[in-house]
Amino acid sequence: MSEVKDTPIESSPLPAPKPKRPLPLSRQMVNEQTAKCYAEAWAAKENGEPVGWSTAIFPQEVCEAFGVPVLYPENNAAAISAKHLGDPFIEHAEGAMGFPINICSYARLNMGMADVLDNPDYKADPAMPRPDFLLLANNSCTQLMKWYECLSEALNIPIFFVDCLFNYYEEEPAFYKVKYVRSQIENYIENMEKFLKRKLDWDKYLEVQKRSQINCQLFNEIVDLNRRTPAPMSGFDLFNYMSCLVLCRGKESTTEIFKQLKAEVEENIKNNTSTFPGEEKYRVHWEGIACWPNLGFNLKKLKEYNVNAVMNGYVTAWDVRYAPGDLDGMAKAYQTSSTNSLSTPTIMNKRVDSIKNFGCDGMLCHVNRSCKLMTFHIFVGREIVESNAHIPVANFDGDQSDTRIFSEAQFETRLQGLVEIMKEQKEGAV
């Protein structure tokens, strides 16, 4: 028998991975700002100083004026989910802690994390230090109250609560509602002074209000630049800069970031370029919170189908506008800032205005299992958008943190169907 020799098989070299697009300076500044916020909170904790956890749309001006570091579990849960690190905390909350699957996944993730803060087997990035107090406003979600009550009991720490009343069919909140919320803010300031054992510096408080308004105005101006066709930004970019208004709305560092971002967007307009990675054939309004674990897939498919989500209502929730020094104005602004504090006709007609202003061809709605009230707006208000904006609307199922809910196949199918209708409408209009 002749000897069989091994013949080496020639293989084609694997294609080199595409180099990642370098982060623009503004994004680098965001990352530095976020890292600094967490570092300051950890340093305060190590020095025995108080650290707070807060709901996202809370009167941040007070603790900013006091110089007390505050972190935001919703923002933190989004960051952890985007890095695909949230499942162990959600599983711990549902398993050992016994929380049901039908409550908010931000809540499950955060309460699961809070239960294992000192357990090195659980990796959170970014990790938050153990809080000494909680700040709670119910303007964006009534489930927040039970979530923070559970945290308060488990960690044995106080809650400072600002009760914001829901507006059913009022375009403007009634006078007594504004006075009520103002009294809640004043009560919060008084109780915080007792907790910290020092008085609020009202001059500093006013300066923080002024800075917050500068930052809100700058962000609005940046968002408005995306009205241009084609848009100078991928609409998903707005998710990346939203954290500045959550974590640091009253800080000068946010002003510098937004100035830099605005300059970058204006340069795109000047050069007729965009951060959207594909050809913008269709413009849609994205409704609802991002699917943070699936954000990359969402953007990939939008690019494939030449769809830019040029605008979404979620990023405007932190547009808390009032005249500095006007506590009634502040009370009204915090009461009506969120999607979930207004009636369905009011909020969906705001979407109609946005769709018209940004020249959207369709609306893509994230039916978020965690945000049931927001999802209710979508189902009930869909007809308002279709009738008044005269565009097609498509829904897809998902979640902001729970990876078990989202279906890649369903998302692509719904997007494909929406594109077909938008294409027919565009061709019919010619």
Side-chain angles (χ1 to χ4, degrees):
M1 183 179 295
S2 60
E3 183 180 356
V4 178
K5 295 183 179 180
D6 292 332
T7 303
I9 300 174
E10 294 184 4
S11 59
S12 302
L14 293 174
K18 291 183 179 180
K20 289 186 177 181
R21 182 183 300 181
L23 287 178
L25 178 58
S26 59
R27 278 289 305 282
Q28 297 175 42
M29 293 167 69
V30 171
N31 292 345
E32 291 168 2
Q33 182 191 62
T34 303
K36 184 178 179 182
C37 283
Y38 278 80
E40 288 175 349
W42 279 103
K45 190 67 181 179
E46 291 170 1
N47 291 333
E49 300 168 5
V51 175
W53 286 4
S54 175
T55 57
I57 312 176
F58 186 87
Q60 53 81 30
E61 295 87 347
V62 176
C63 277
E64 184 68 38
F66 271 120
V68 176
V70 175
L71 297 175
Y72 296 80
E74 293 155 271
N75 173 266
N76 179 260
I80 289 173
S81 300
K83 295 177 181 179
H84 304 279
L85 297 173
D87 286 351
F89 300 110
I90 291 173
E91 291 167 4
H92 179 70
E94 293 173 4
M97 300 179 74
F99 287 106
I101 192 174
N102 63 334
I103 66 172
C104 170
S105 60
Y106 280 173
R108 280 175 282 147
L109 192 159
N110 176 251
M111 290 189 294
M113 185 180 70
D115 193 56
V116 293
L117 282 172
D118 302 319
N119 188 334
D121 293 334
Y122 287 85
K123 180 183 178 183
D125 182 18
M128 297 194 293
R130 183 181 298 274
D132 301 287
F133 63 90
L134 301 170
L135 305 176
L136 165 65
N138 58 347
N139 47 9
S140 61
C141 176
T142 54
Q143 204 172 123
L144 287 165
M145 292 185 287
K146 301 308 298 182
W147 171 2
Y148 275 56
E149 283 177 6
C150 290
L151 285 176
S152 175
E153 182 177 353
L155 300 174
N156 192 28
I157 56 176
I159 300 175
F160 298 93
F161 180 37
V162 174
D163 185 21
C164 299
L165 301 176
F166 190 86
N167 290 276
Y168 289 92
Y169 289 102
E170 299 171 2
E171 293 299 326
E172 296 290 331
F175 175 75
Y176 72 88
K177 290 186 177 182
V178 173
K179 290 297 183 185
Y180 174 73
V181 177
R182 172 176 174 158
S183 72
Q184 296 290 305
I185 296 174
E186 291 172 332
N187 184 62
Y188 157 53
I189 293 172
E190 181 181 343
N191 287 330
M192 184 57 72
E193 287 178 330
K194 293 177 182 177
F195 179 76
L196 296 174
K197 297 181 175 59
R198 53 192 168 97
K199 291 293 184 180
L200 177 67
D201 183 337
W202 286 86
D203 290 334
K204 178 68 180 298
Y205 184 45
L206 180 62
E207 290 305 311
V208 171
Q209 292 178 38
K210 291 177 180 178
R211 180 60 55 186
S212 297
Q213 295 308 298
I214 290 171
N215 291 335
C216 285
Q217 178 62 31
L218 272 171
F219 191 71
N220 284 346
E221 292 171 2
I222 293 164
V223 172
D224 282 346
L225 291 174
N226 236 28
R227 293 186 185 189
R228 184 180 182 272
T229 303
M233 285 186 291
S234 165
F236 275 26
D237 286 349
L238 298 173
F239 288 133
N240 295 320
Y241 296 95
M242 185 178 65
S243 64
C244 299
L245 293 179
V246 181
L247 283 169
C248 303
R249 184 157 21 101
K251 293 184 183 294
E252 191 171 348
S253 57
T254 292
T255 308
E256 297 307 311
I257 290 170
F258 286 167
K259 285 180 178 179
Q260 175 62 31
L261 173 60
K262 188 177 181 182
E264 292 169 359
V265 177
E266 289 174 338
E267 186 69 16
N268 283 340
I269 292 173
K270 178 183 175 182
N271 298 329
N272 198 31
T273 55
S274 175
T275 61
F276 180 64
E279 180 186 357
E280 184 185 286
K281 290 185 178 180
Y282 307 100
R283 299 163 65 90
V284 300
H285 178 108
W286 176 287
E287 181 61 20
I289 299 174
C291 301
W292 296 112
N294 312 102
L295 208 57
F297 178 83
N298 295 148
L299 183 57
K300 175 185 174 183
K301 288 302 167 183
L302 289 170
K303 173 188 172 183
E304 286 181 13
Y305 287 88
N306 301 306
V307 177
N308 189 0
V310 294
M311 177 55 175
N312 71 77
Y314 183 53
V315 299
T316 63
W318 289 269
D319 181 28
V320 185
R321 305 301 300 276
Y322 58 86
D326 178 7
L327 286 182
D328 282 344
M330 177 186 282
K332 176 184 171 184
Y334 275 104
Q335 188 176 348
T336 58
S337 61
S338 172
T339 295
N340 294 345
S341 60
L342 299 170
S343 69
T344 298
T346 297
I347 200 63
M348 297 315 288
N349 278 312
K350 286 179 180 288
R351 300 298 186 257
V352 169
D353 292 341
S354 178
I355 286 164
K356 291 179 179 178
N357 289 337
F358 284 80
C360 295
D361 306 301
M363 187 176 192
L364 187 58
C365 300
H366 173 202
V367 179
N368 186 345
R369 178 168 180 164
S370 282
C371 257
K372 294 177 176 60
L373 184 54
M374 188 179 288
T375 295
F376 172 81
H377 283 308
I378 291 170
F379 278 115
V380 178
R382 175 175 179 162
E383 292 182 2
I384 296 173
V385 172
E386 290 175 330
S387 298
N388 296 342
H390 309 293
I391 61 167
V393 179
N395 295 345
F396 70 92
D397 299 310
D399 193 86
Q400 56 206 25
S401 288
D402 194 332
T403 57
R404 295 167 292 186
I405 312 303
F406 180 78
S407 164
E408 292 185 351
Q410 188 210 53
F411 178 81
E412 183 167 10
T413 300
R414 299 291 171 83
L415 177 61
Q416 186 179 41
L418 179 64
V419 168
E420 289 174 0
I421 300 173
M422 291 190 295
K423 183 174 185 291
E424 288 178 3
Q425 288 196 348
K426 275 180 171 288
E427 292 175 348
V430 176

